[in-house]
Amino acid sequence: MVKFLKILPIAIKTGTVTIKYPYQEPLITESFRGAIEIDPNKCVGCGACTRICPPKALTMTIESNTIILKYFVGRCIFCGMCADTCPEKAISITKEFELATGNIFDLYADVEHEVKTCPICGKTFITRKLSDKIISKVPDIPLETMDLCPDCRRKETLKKFIGVPE
Amino acid sequence: MVQLLGGELNSKGIDLRKALSRIKRSIWVYHINTGSCNGCDIEILDVLTPYFDVERFGIKLVASPRHADLALLTGPITIKTFSKVYRALNAMPRPRFVLAIGSCAVGGNIWFESYSTLGGFPKALEMFSEMGLEIDGVVYVPGCPARPEAIIYGAATLLGLQKPKTRYRRFKA
């Protein structure tokens, strides 16, 4: 009984420790990582982030004639590896953590990319932005085969060297 | 705002769905771990301590699902725990709410296509509706682990104290 009273001077000395959260700013340090944000103007749709993402929160899907880079924040582990690996620095890490919502579809964010279609076989294979980027970066690239998909390009290049089989 | 399931006008002319969509008393919470790594569970304990002090909002931890209004669910729901989760949620009185905390409970995290987990609460919710268990509201709290502030924010969203910030976005590159 008397032992319990020992806590009183400790409590008086410490005072109130409670963080009045909605009214008081939460502790967010410099290194805190929240949800990521994709800049649609910078993103070329190379898919490097989808390959590095450990829980596959970033995925790429082909829908008719668009490639969609889908970000599902509900599966994100906030590791920031996508921001490190992005060659265009299109992904930035924000300090946003108040993401709670009642509707799971609110947790998705999509970036829509225009897609290139092979004129020979009709296969969709790369985003238009990435193709333009490659043409501008690589010197002496054969422009006549750039519109073709990898399979058709191989065939066309071979035809150039050994001629058309009869 | 809050996902609703079922509910039509009953014999007394009360819209059951509307009546069960909001809770007007202090909420008592029950903590269910369904194969979580304990990261989110530690954050939940943080929320319940005097440091964050959720009793300001009338939230109190109880030891039995029969006393609870809200289940704090963490983990990707492994196959082994699924029957226990069903029993715990079935024991809760209506209106029953679920706060799915952490990446695991929301989307399955890195275990979303594993053979031993269901891969998140949305998939369990589909199975519950097939089994005839109605859940009146679910709020998803992403985060790995979810910050104590994020959990308080989720509870405030559930209580209707504020509107959720996150929206579906679609950009053209």
Side-chain angles (χ1 to χ4, degrees):
Chain A
M1 181 69 192
V2 185
K3 264 186 186 174
F4 173 76
L5 293 173
K6 270 187 193 171
I7 207 165
L8 289 175
I10 299 168
I12 290 160
K13 199 181 164 192
T14 314
T16 311
V17 291
T18 306
I19 290 176
K20 295 172 184 70
Y21 160 60
Y23 308 107
Q24 198 178 335
E25 281 294 301
L27 176 74
I28 292 175
T29 53
E30 193 84 341
S31 57
F32 177 74
R33 294 189 299 265
I36 63 160
E37 204 170 74
I38 306 165
D39 188 348
N41 298 321
K42 282 184 189 169
C43 178
V44 292
C46 62
C49 48
T50 65
R51 260 169 263 135
I52 201 91
C53 186
K56 293 193 177 68
L58 285 154
T59 47
M60 267 189 147
T61 47
I62 299 175
E63 272 176 31
S64 62
N65 53 1
T66 49
I67 283 182
I68 292 167
L69 176 63
K70 201 170 262 186
Y71 174 51
F72 178 37
V73 73
R75 198 177 288 150
C76 184
I77 59 168
F78 311 101
C79 59
M81 262 150 76
C82 46
D84 284 347
T85 196
C86 184
E88 296 296 315
K89 301 272 171 286
I91 297 174
S92 56
I93 300 166
T94 65
K95 303 231 181 285
E96 188 57 56
F97 64 89
E98 290 163 335
L99 301 157
T101 172
N103 188 355
I104 191 122
F105 298 107
D106 284 345
L107 299 175
Y108 285 91
D110 292 353
V111 178
E112 214 174 279
H113 279 284
E114 230 180 293
V115 83
K116 241 181 168 181
T117 318
C118 178
I120 293 173
C121 63
K123 213 163 73 177
T124 53
F125 61 102
I126 197 172
T127 63
R128 192 164 291 281
K129 256 179 141 179
L130 180 57
S131 173
D132 293 348
K133 189 91 199 170
I134 292 164
I135 291 167
S136 69
K137 275 211 167 173
V138 184
D140 311 329
I141 195 160
L143 286 169
E144 63 273 12
T145 53
M146 269 312 286
D147 286 337
L148 307 177
C149 74
D151 287 344
C152 292
R153 192 181 303 158
R154 210 170 292 142
K155 281 177 199 164
E156 288 298 308
T157 317
L158 211 61
K159 272 181 198 170
K160 220 195 287 176
F161 287 115
I162 61 169
V164 185
E166 284 164 22
Chain B
M1 189 163 59
V2 174
Q3 254 180 15
L4 295 168
L5 299 164
E8 276 179 16
L9 290 181
N10 71 351
S11 57
K12 285 179 187 171
I14 300 163
D15 191 352
L16 207 63
R17 183 172 161 162
K18 205 176 171 187
L20 295 175
S21 69
R22 263 203 77 185
I23 192 160
K24 281 175 182 168
R25 51 174 188 266
S26 297
I27 50 172
W28 287 9
V29 298
Y30 176 68
H31 179 193
I32 310 173
N33 180 341
T34 66
S36 153
C37 70
N38 283 1
C40 295
D41 306 83
I42 288 167
E43 301 298 317
I44 287 170
L45 288 185
D46 251 12
V47 169
L48 298 167
T49 55
Y51 200 68
F52 286 98
D53 195 23
V54 280
E55 283 190 32
R56 290 180 290 158
F57 308 107
I59 299 167
K60 188 182 167 229
L61 187 76
V62 290
S64 165
R66 283 169 206 276
H67 300 157
D69 304 301
L70 171 68
L72 304 173
L73 192 132
T74 60
I77 312 189
T78 55
I79 304 288
K80 279 265 183 186
T81 56
F82 179 70
S83 59
K84 281 88 173 175
V85 172
Y86 176 79
R87 277 172 59 196
L89 293 179
N90 206 17
M92 280 165 67
R94 297 284 298 275
R96 56 172 84 96
F97 297 93
V98 173
L99 200 64
I101 293 165
S103 289
C104 297
V106 179
N109 203 335
I110 56 174
W111 298 282
F112 71 100
E113 49 188 12
S114 165
Y115 65 92
S116 59
T117 70
L118 290 188
F121 192 71
K123 280 176 190 163
L125 202 60
E126 283 170 24
M127 289 173 80
F128 288 149
S129 62
E130 276 173 31
M131 290 157 93
L133 175 68
E134 286 186 32
I135 289 162
D136 297 301
V138 185
V139 167
Y140 300 98
V141 185
C144 190
R147 281 176 72 105
E149 288 98 340
I151 296 169
I152 295 171
Y153 188 88
T157 308
L158 187 98
L159 291 169
L161 298 175
Q162 48 81 36
K163 282 184 178 166
K165 275 192 223 167
T166 326
R167 281 273 170 276
Y168 172 71
R169 290 162 295 155
R170 195 184 180 94
F171 305 110
K172 270 210 163 135

